[in-house]
Amino acid sequence: MAASRTLSTFRLLPLPTIREIIKLFRLQAVKQLSQNFLLDLRLTDKIVRKAGSLTNAYDYEVGPGPGGITRSILNASVAELLVVEKDSQFIPGLQMLSDAASGKLRIVHGDVLTFKIERAFPESLKRQWEDDLPNVHIIGNLPFSVSTPLIITWLENVSHRNGPFAYGRTQMTFQKEVAERLTASTGSKQRSRLSIMAQYPCDVQHILTIPGQAFIPKPEVDSGVVHFTPLTRPRIGQPFRLVERVVQNAFQFRRKYCHRGLGMLFSEARRLESTGKLLRLADVDPTLRPTQLSVLHFKSLCDAYRKMCDEDPHHFAYNFREELKQKSEKRG
Ligand code: SAM
């Protein structure tokens, strides 16, 4: 094991630095693809160390760009690293890395939003959900333009145990501007829809803060590195889409009492009565603000809403935006 680590580190050493690669291939940051690069290998090493032990792991890196995090992952004695990069300007530099990494780096020139990671690694890595964590990790300095939809898709994948979670409880570590929102606790200013959606199926830890000046070009805000471990049992035992609906509506009016947003789950004609019933069944104080609701409160609200939808399926089909649109069409 020690020999293979020395070998992989040794093979990466003679490569040009990331700065030299940027010059050599005339790489330029493209705003539309949210490109902010991490060039300091001490920092990328730290991010990778914080992801946990990667020895013999199968890693999936989203958006490797010029390859800073990629090098640190390869130096962590992984079995295989698969990277998916959309922008063709990075492929020759990554190819250079791959040549130096004795077959450990697989490069896919494609889009993370459509790439099927569940088919990419050996079947033998798959674990039962309740078993130990599989040796499969997702790592990345996520592109801002796709990060929120990507995180929501992954969280939905956790609940269906598919996508990257077809291997079991795959861990994820990524850099994100919204790290504080993902990890915000009950009552905090940063508490949002993302906090609940992330914290009900996973343990979420904010493990590192990265100052804006560490990126080239420098983004507007500092960002953080967040580590996700899916739970064997989610804290809310209802379907993802139902939870998403309740949480989204609750945060509709984040400064108002929670009954205002939750009321939007129900048609206007029965709003008052149905919202009252929901809050009574869930035993939640209607005058709490959305940010003051704990995951446990949301569990009760989702269970109560499920009960009401089972009694009357019209509730689940209702969309307040549709009702507003129809009304304004009638008036118009
Ligand atoms: N990992 C590199 C680093 O830390 O220096 C680059 C990070 S940069 C924030 C995001 C990277 O994701 C860019 O290389 C960008 O081209 C890539 N990217 C953006 N959208 C993508 C997509 N839909 N699929 C794959 N890669 C994407």
Side-chain angles (χ1 to χ4, degrees), residues 166-301:
Y167 299 99
R169 292 182 294 126
T170 298
Q171 296 173 77
M172 309 192 269
T173 308
F174 46 74
Q175 177 285 126
K176 183 78 189 94
E177 305 71 19
V178 294
E180 285 182 2
R181 277 204 267 147
L182 286 163
T183 53
S185 52
T186 314
S188 98
K189 246 199 205 157
Q190 296 283 345
R191 188 81 159 169
S192 70
R193 170 178 80 108
L194 264 186
S195 328
I196 312 297
M197 296 311 291
Q199 293 168 27
Y200 96 80
C202 296
D203 259 333
V204 194
Q205 311 269 346
H206 184 169
I207 52 177
L208 194 66
T209 297
I210 309 186
Q213 61 265 28
F215 297 89
I216 308 248
K218 179 179 175 296
E220 305 274 299
V221 286
D222 288 354
S223 73
V225 179
V226 191
H227 183 78
F228 286 69
T229 312
L231 297 167
T232 47
R233 277 185 65 151
R235 295 186 170 101
I236 302 177
Q238 297 295 347
F240 182 87
R241 289 291 158 106
L242 184 144
V243 180
E244 192 180 35
R245 201 175 162 82
V246 171
V247 175
Q248 220 161 30
N249 279 281
F251 279 96
Q252 198 79 242
F253 306 103
R254 48 179 294 122
R255 285 162 200 272
K256 303 246 159 68
Y257 293 146
C258 68
H259 72 83
R260 274 286 274 124
L262 288 166
M264 305 316 264
L265 286 166
F266 305 105
S267 64
E268 202 177 343
R270 293 165 58 194
R271 187 160 292 153
L272 209 63
E273 165 208 340
S274 300
T275 314
K277 181 171 173 184
L278 176 81
L279 288 156
R280 258 194 323 280
L281 278 175
D283 194 20
V284 168
D285 175 353
T287 64
L288 288 173
R289 316 266 170 193
T291 50
Q292 294 173 309
L293 297 173
S294 64
V295 172
L296 212 62
H297 283 131
F298 275 104
K299 178 193 179 316
S300 309
L301 287 165

Side-chain angles (χ1 to χ4, degrees), residues 33-38 63-65 85-86 90 110-112 141 143:
L33 288 176
S34 339
Q35 293 174 348
N36 303 96
F37 309 133
L38 289 170
E85 174 56 62
K86 190 169 180 178
F90 296 115
D111 193 322
V112 289
N141 171 9

